[in-house]
Amino acid sequence: MLMARDTARDEAQKLHRKWLKHQAFMAELARNKEWLAKIEQEGQELIQEKPELRPVVQQKLEEIRECWSDLEITTKAKARQLFENNKPEPAMKSYSDLDNQLSHLEQQPPQLEQAHHLPTFNEQLQKFQAMESQIGDFYKDVGELGSLQGLYHPQRGLIAGESEGGEQSSMVETRIVRLIEPLKERRRILLASKEMHQVAQDLEDEILWIQERLPLASCRDYGNNLQSAQQHVKKNQTLQRELTGRRARIEEVLDRAAIIASLRTPEVEFVREGAGHVRQLWEVLQLETERRAVLLDATLQSQQYYNEAAKVESWLSEQKLSVASEEKGTDEASTLQLLKTHLVLEQTVETYAETVGMLSQQCQRLLEVGHPQSEQIMKQQSHIDRLYVSLKDMVEHRKTKLEQQYWLYQLNKEVEELEKWITEREAVASSTELGTDLEDVTVLQEKFTNFASETNNIGIQRMEQVNKMVNEMIDCGHSDAATIAEWKDGLNESWADLLELMETRRQMLTASHQLHKFFTDCKEVLAQITGKMKQLPEVRACQANITNPATLQRLMHSFEHALQLLVAQVRQLQENAAQLRTIYAGEKAEAIMVKEQEVMEAWKELLGSCEASRIQVTSVTDKVQFFSVVRENLMWMEGIMGQIGWEEPSISIPATAVPSKHAF
């Protein structure tokens, strides 16, 4: 709006310039009218999306429309004012100015100077370009002056000097065209000369660029370690990228040089030579760069291998130092912990075989491609393989030692527990308690029998396990086989001593049982003998009352048969006494003898009494038998006497009926 309302007259500024400025402003308004339509559309969309904003949006849109309408009206009014205030005199005056300036240019045309350097060419080109620009401005001014002549209100018509202004415009345009043609020719010649020198300069630049990079491309230093090799590779890759990026530039320069060299003039010979030199150096640079890339790649691969091999060798050496430790553990728990740690290390070593295998594959690939350091690489790989095999052997040996140590602690624990168990059993087996009587001894024997059975069952099983473990450890070549054998011998001796103690205890209890049984049997036999002695008076009393000899005989035989049972017991007591006297000595031997004598005396007394009773029974029986025979004879005689009295004398007496004299 401020620009549209600016009606101040600047007399120093040309009217056609102000008009052009106003035309640009009107064109800008025409372009921004689309922006106004876009604002209208967005306002309508906003009203549809948010109806509550309709009053605010419509108010803003109305204000924008009013401002735009005022702007258009003001702009048109200023355009009309500019048209009305302009007269033909300024235009005529401008043509005179252009005519004077063209005359000045025609009197001092630019001349071509002999140049051998690009700055000189550039200075001359700048002069020609400035002149061309000035002539172009003159031509533009002619067109603008012609357009100003028609900017008036329609009712005023054409001015009187219109035909004269058109003739001046044509004359100025003709003079401008005549001035431009020779200027263009001189400029073309200057550009051609500049192009030739530019190509020559570009060729020299490319030669310098290539020569600067040839030392790097032809360098024989490939690095003596991985880091330096990687740095050389990066530098060479950077050089290759530079070559790739420079290739288009060199090809473009060579193409331009080829175009100039195709001209058959002596002046282009140095361009032809320069192009050949550039092409030759470019090929050498490419070949050297490719060759260095190949050698650097081989060096990098070898250094990568050596670096990986060094890491592997360092790791293997560290593990060998760790495995070479002689620590065995102070007890079973610490040894087990060491063994677990070693098993983890063993698994790590086994897993590390993949790394060694990958290194071996890398070595094989280098050997297959014929690497220059194949022999050295092969020696390094052989060293790594031997080192890994050695580490595995050390790991296995260390594992065997830890296992043997762990087994040794386990065996020691088993041996100690078994020896402790044997010692506890020995304390029981070495008891001297023999009982106070037969019942007490019997209870002790039952307990000891159970104890011995349990000891044999458990002991034999545990001894077999320990002996089996010992034999396996010795057969496996345990480093402490001698110590293990001593443990085995000592344990077997302790077990043998326990068995011997149990056997001794068993024999002592058996002997004690025999002794107490002997005394008990003696008491029983004495009781039986005493009982028999008490029965003898009863037998004697029965003799007086019994008149039947057979009954007396049976009574006596029954009593003697009971005595026969005592005979076996008495003989067994004598045998037991004889055995016990071989076992015991001292007071117990005397007690055994006294008891035996007591029994034997009672037995002899009983036998004497029995003999007397038997004799007495025999006498009584004989007497009874005699009286019976007498009674029978008397009865027979009485019968005979009766028969004699009742029968005739002629009757003969049978011989069998006469009693025998032996009957008496």
Side-chain angles (χ1 to χ4, degrees):
M1 289 291 291
L2 293 175
M3 186 179 293
R5 291 170 181 169
D6 185 13
T7 58
R9 304 270 313 202
D10 188 3
E11 297 178 356
Q13 189 177 12
K14 296 181 179 180
L15 293 176
H16 68 278
R17 296 281 186 188
K18 185 177 289 189
W19 168 245
L20 291 176
K21 186 177 181 181
H22 191 74
Q23 275 189 331
F25 179 73
M26 293 178 68
E28 184 179 358
L29 287 181
R31 288 194 302 270
N32 289 333
K33 197 167 185 178
E34 297 179 357
W35 174 68
L36 181 63
K38 184 178 179 181
I39 292 177
E40 289 279 353
Q41 183 179 359
E42 291 178 354
Q44 296 300 328
E45 292 177 355
L46 182 61
I47 291 173
Q48 291 179 0
E49 292 177 359
K50 296 181 178 180
E52 65 275 8
L53 299 178
R54 178 184 292 273
V56 179
V57 174
Q58 287 182 349
Q59 182 180 357
K60 292 294 182 182
L61 291 176
E62 188 64 28
E63 291 177 358
I64 292 173
R65 293 191 196 101
E66 291 178 358
C67 290
W68 185 261
S69 179
D70 293 342
L71 179 61
E72 285 184 338
I73 294 171
T74 306
T75 301
K76 292 178 181 180
K78 183 178 179 180
R80 286 193 300 269
Q81 185 178 1
L82 286 174
F83 296 154
E84 291 175 354
N85 292 334
N86 286 323
K87 301 295 185 220
E89 289 79 11
M92 302 305 295
K93 186 177 180 180
S94 296
Y95 281 125
S96 299
D97 293 338
L98 289 176
D99 185 75
N100 293 332
Q101 292 178 4
L102 288 175
S103 299
H104 179 71
L105 288 177
E106 289 174 350
Q107 292 175 1
Q108 297 179 354
Q111 300 294 329
L112 289 175
E113 300 177 1
Q114 189 67 25
H116 300 284
H117 302 287
L118 288 176
T120 305
F121 285 106
N122 291 331
E123 291 177 0
Q124 294 187 22
L125 280 175
Q126 288 177 1
K127 291 180 180 179
F128 280 100
Q129 289 175 355
M131 189 173 293
E132 288 179 352
S133 178
Q134 188 176 6
I135 294 173
D137 291 339
F138 291 164
Y139 190 81
K140 185 184 298 183
D141 290 341
V142 172
E144 291 176 355
L145 289 173
S147 62
L148 286 174
Q149 295 177 358
L151 298 178
Y152 297 101
H153 294 288
Q155 62 272 19
R156 296 178 58 184
L158 296 176
I159 64 176
E162 182 178 359
S163 59
E164 185 179 355
E167 292 176 359
Q168 290 180 355
S169 175
S170 300
M171 290 175 61
V172 171
E173 288 179 0
T174 303
R175 293 181 65 186
I176 290 174
V177 172
R178 290 176 181 175
L179 188 60
I180 286 178
E181 290 300 329
L183 189 62
K184 288 184 177 180
E185 180 64 22
R186 294 186 185 92
R187 186 172 180 273
R188 185 186 63 78
I189 296 172
L190 183 61
L191 287 175
S193 180
K194 179 189 176 183
E195 178 64 18
M196 183 176 64
H197 284 81
Q198 182 67 50
V199 169
Q201 183 65 41
D202 291 343
L203 290 174
E204 290 179 2
D205 292 342
E206 298 305 320
I207 290 172
L208 291 175
W209 188 87
I210 294 173
Q211 288 176 346
E212 288 176 357
R213 284 150 182 80
L214 267 177
L216 179 59
S218 59
C219 180
R220 295 296 182 265
D221 183 12
Y222 305 108
N224 53 7
N225 54 49
L226 179 60
Q227 184 177 3
S228 61
Q230 288 175 343
Q231 290 177 354
H232 284 296
V233 168
K234 289 181 180 178
K235 291 180 180 179
N236 196 67
Q237 289 175 350
T238 302
L239 178 59
Q240 286 179 324
R241 287 193 294 269
E242 288 181 359
L243 293 180
T244 302
R246 197 73 175 186
R247 181 177 289 108
R249 166 67 177 169
I250 291 177
E251 290 178 355
E252 186 265 337
V253 172
L254 291 175
D255 290 340
R256 287 161 54 203
I259 294 173
I260 295 175
S262 63
L263 302 176
R264 300 185 181 276
T265 58
E267 292 81 0
V268 300
E269 184 63 30
F270 71 94
V271 176
R272 191 179 294 110
E273 293 177 358
H277 194 196
V278 169
R279 190 175 290 105
Q280 181 182 1
L281 290 176
W282 177 250
E283 292 177 356
V284 172
L285 180 60
Q286 285 183 319
L287 291 175
E288 289 294 331
T289 304
E290 292 176 358
R291 182 191 61 80
R292 181 168 174 78
V294 173
L295 295 177
L296 282 175
D297 182 64
T299 303
L300 180 61
Q301 290 181 1
S302 62
Q303 292 300 332
Q304 285 177 343
Y305 171 79
Y306 290 140
N307 185 60
E308 292 296 328
K311 291 180 181 178
V312 172
E313 184 177 1
S314 176
W315 189 87
L316 293 176
S317 299
E318 290 177 0
Q319 301 310 312
K320 286 186 71 174
L321 291 176
S322 177
V323 174
S325 174
E326 297 296 333
E327 186 179 2
K328 295 182 179 180
T330 57
D331 52 16
E332 182 180 355
S334 60
T335 304
L336 180 60
Q337 184 62 36
L338 287 175
L339 183 59
K340 290 180 179 180
T341 304
H342 184 77
L343 291 176
V344 174
L345 175 62
E346 182 183 23
Q347 183 62 37
T348 304
V349 172
E350 290 292 336
T351 306
Y352 203 73
E354 297 180 1
T355 303
V356 177
M358 293 175 62
L359 188 65
S360 178
Q361 293 176 2
Q362 187 177 354
C363 172
Q364 188 64 31
R365 287 194 297 269
L366 293 175
L367 296 178
E368 289 176 355
V369 298
H371 196 277
Q373 299 180 356
S374 297
E375 184 176 355
Q376 184 177 357
I377 292 173
M378 185 169 59
K379 290 181 180 179
Q380 180 69 21
Q381 185 62 37
S382 300
H383 175 67
I384 295 295
D385 292 339
R386 289 193 300 270
L387 193 62
Y388 182 71
V389 172
S390 174
L391 176 61
K392 288 192 68 175
D393 293 339
M394 291 181 65
V395 169
E396 186 64 28
H397 180 68
R398 171 73 172 162
K399 176 184 176 182
T400 302
K401 290 179 64 177
L402 288 176
E403 287 179 344
Q404 289 182 354
Q405 188 68 21
Y406 179 68
W407 295 341
L408 185 65
Y409 281 125
Q410 279 193 327
L411 178 62
N412 185 28
K413 180 180 178 181
E414 291 291 333
V415 170
E416 289 180 352
E417 290 180 354
L418 189 53
E419 285 182 346
K420 181 180 179 181
W421 182 81
I422 290 174
T423 302
E424 293 174 354
R425 296 287 166 166
E426 285 179 348
V428 178
S430 60
S431 174
T432 57
E433 184 181 2
L434 298 177
T436 57
D437 53 20
L438 182 61
E439 184 179 358
D440 193 12
V441 172
T442 302
V443 172
L444 290 176
Q445 276 188 319
E446 290 178 356
K447 292 181 178 180
F448 182 77
T449 300
N450 296 331
F451 167 78
S453 176
E454 180 183 357
T455 302
N456 283 325
N457 294 332
I458 297 176
I460 291 173
Q461 182 179 0
R462 296 184 67 176
M463 286 297 297
E464 287 179 352
Q465 292 177 354
V466 173
N467 287 327
K468 182 180 178 182
M469 184 183 298
V470 169
N471 294 332
E472 289 177 352
M473 293 173 67
I474 294 176
D475 294 339
C476 291
H478 199 283
S479 57
D480 297 321
T483 304
I484 294 173
E486 292 179 0
W487 291 354
K488 177 184 178 183
D489 295 338
L491 189 62
N492 288 328
E493 289 177 1
S494 299
W495 175 247
D497 294 341
L498 176 60
L499 293 178
E500 185 176 354
L501 280 174
M502 289 194 302
E503 181 62 22
T504 301
R505 174 69 174 165
R506 185 188 64 78
Q507 292 177 1
M508 290 176 63
L509 288 175
T510 301
S512 179
H513 183 272
Q514 291 177 353
L515 178 63
H516 288 289
K517 189 174 185 305
F518 172 75
F519 289 140
T520 302
D521 291 343
C522 288
K523 290 181 182 180
E524 291 179 356
V525 170
L526 285 174
Q528 291 181 10
I529 291 173
T530 302
K532 295 298 181 184
M533 290 292 292
K534 290 180 180 180
Q535 288 180 0
L536 284 177
E538 296 178 359
V539 173
R540 292 173 182 174
C542 291
Q543 293 177 2
N545 299 323
I546 296 174
T547 57
N548 189 354
T551 303
L552 289 175
Q553 288 293 334
R554 285 194 301 273
L555 180 62
M556 194 64 192
H557 286 162
S558 175
F559 186 80
E560 289 180 349
H561 180 70
L563 289 179
Q564 289 298 324
L565 297 176
L566 281 174
V567 170
Q569 293 180 1
V570 171
R571 289 177 180 175
Q572 185 65 38
L573 284 177
Q574 288 178 331
E575 293 177 358
N576 292 338
Q579 293 178 357
L580 292 174
R581 282 196 298 270
T582 59
I583 298 174
Y584 295 99
E587 296 180 357
K588 290 186 178 181
E590 293 178 359
I592 292 170
M593 185 178 297
V594 170
K595 205 69 174 176
E596 181 185 9
Q597 290 176 357
E598 182 181 356
V599 172
M600 294 307 298
E601 289 176 357
W603 175 248
K604 289 179 180 179
E605 183 180 357
L606 177 61
L607 289 178
S609 299
C610 287
E611 183 64 22
S613 296
R614 186 180 62 77
I615 293 172
Q616 184 177 2
V617 168
T618 301
S619 300
V620 172
T621 302
D622 292 341
K623 178 181 177 180
V624 171
Q625 287 180 351
F626 174 75
F627 287 151
S628 177
V629 171
V630 170
R631 193 167 40 254
E632 288 178 356
N633 288 329
L634 289 176
M635 289 176 66
W636 179 77
M637 291 176 64
E638 289 177 359
I640 292 299
M641 289 296 293
Q643 289 179 0
I644 292 175
W646 294 96
E647 292 181 358
E648 292 180 0
S650 58
I651 297 173
S652 61
I653 299 171
T656 58
V658 180
S660 174
K661 63 179 181 179
H662 298 290
F664 298 98

